[in-house]
Amino acid sequence: MIGEPLWRIWMSVPLLCLFACCGSSYSSLVDTSYGDAGMGETILVVYGTRAGSTAEVADVVGRILAEGGVRVDVKPVGSVKNLDGYSAVVIGTAIRAGKVKSDVLNFVKNCASELRRMPVAVFVVCMTMKDDTPENRKTVGAYLDPVREWIDPVEVGLFAGKMDYARLGFFARFAVQHVVKVPEGDVRNWSLIEDWSRNLRARLVTKNGGS
Ligand SMILES: Cc1cc2nc3c(=O)[nH]c(=O)nc-3n(C[C@H](O)[C@H](O)[C@H](O)COP(=O)(O)O)c2cc1C
């Protein structure tokens, strides 16, 4: 089990924080759309990832949202410059060293005034949620405090993620393997993610149904 204290110890060591921020060799970005243009509202699912697992979660969130009869764009955060044409936004972020990804936080800051005018949901993908306990929910919920300074999400999803050493750079891999000793594994709960997405529709779709 990955104890939260272990993450905290790790985070308290600056060198390891540096390891956490540097060195990820894997990049697999999902940039796709679901539903037809002209279906009315368009929802943006925007995400920040380092090792790809959050991109795959964002893809599922987008697909399920679109089943409600809306158009959904799923995009990496770096490719979104403004929110023109979107009626709602879902923001997904991986967690590293106890923080949301900096590109995601920058996106929130830069687009805060637009985001405050529409429904916004946020989801987090991290290994602490492998054990879905009230304590871990509190810890992971607090990772979003910097985001909440800018926006007030209508829904928040806290999801377990994936640890795949092959997707990490040398330093990050060394840190998780030998310092924090996080075992490999894909602990994403797809039915939980799908249910969350299905329930989210009604919170995001304001005009044209969204069953
Ligand atoms: C260097 C590094 C640091 C991490 N720090 C944390 C952390 O502080 N808390 C946590 O719950 N998970 C942490 N994780 C686990 C990731 O959040 C998890 O593997 C997630 O699925 C990664 O998302 P991504 O594949 O989209 O990058 C860390 C993973 C790595 C590789």
Side-chain angles (χ1 to χ4, degrees):
M1 189 187 98
I2 306 145
E4 178 54 26
L6 222 42
W7 289 117
R8 281 208 204 107
I9 291 164
W10 176 19
M11 284 158 53
S12 71
V13 181
L15 188 60
L16 291 174
C17 285
L18 182 68
F19 285 177
C21 296
C22 306
S24 180
S25 58
Y26 184 86
S27 169
S28 174
L29 298 179
V30 175
D31 189 339
T32 191
S33 296
Y34 293 100
D36 297 325
M39 287 177 101
E41 301 187 23
T42 303
I43 296 172
L44 172 66
V45 179
V46 58
Y47 66 87
T49 184
R50 282 296 284 271
S53 64
T54 307
E56 292 159 0
V57 173
D59 193 34
V60 169
V61 171
R63 180 173 53 75
I64 298 288
L65 282 175
E67 285 173 6
V70 286
R71 161 103 175 169
V72 181
D73 293 342
V74 182
K75 289 185 172 298
V77 68
S79 71
V80 179
K81 302 300 170 216
N82 61 63
L83 302 179
D84 293 353
Y86 294 113
S87 57
V89 177
V90 182
I91 303 170
T93 182
I95 296 296
R96 282 212 169 189
K99 294 187 185 314
V100 302
K101 289 208 67 242
S102 58
D103 50 4
V104 171
L105 190 55
N106 286 336
F107 166 81
V108 170
K109 288 180 187 172
N110 293 338
C111 298
S113 55
E114 288 166 280
L115 289 169
R116 283 191 211 110
R117 287 197 288 266
M118 61 179 85
V120 178
V122 177
F123 70 86
V124 165
V125 180
C126 69
M127 291 310 275
T128 301
M129 285 307 295
K130 181 181 180 200
D131 298 307
D132 191 344
T133 63
E135 191 194 6
N136 285 347
R137 287 197 153 258
K138 196 173 166 201
T139 299
V140 174
Y143 293 160
L144 287 174
D145 285 350
V147 170
R148 290 183 194 277
E149 283 177 26
W150 297 89
I151 56 170
D152 185 16
V154 294
E155 285 291 341
V156 171
L158 307 178
F159 303 136
K162 178 179 177 180
M163 183 59 71
D164 179 354
Y165 299 155
R167 291 185 175 189
L168 303 178
F170 176 80
F171 291 118
R173 181 178 182 150
F174 181 87
V176 294
Q177 232 179 327
H178 301 294
V179 183
V180 199
K181 296 190 169 64
V182 183
E184 282 192 297
D186 186 348
V187 288
R188 288 172 294 180
N189 181 337
W190 293 110
S191 53
L192 181 79
I193 292 164
E194 289 179 7
D195 285 349
W196 183 81
S197 308
R198 237 169 251 122
N199 293 332
L200 187 59
R201 274 186 217 135
R203 308 298 308 274
L204 300 183
V205 179
T206 51
K207 284 179 243 157
N208 297 318
S211 54

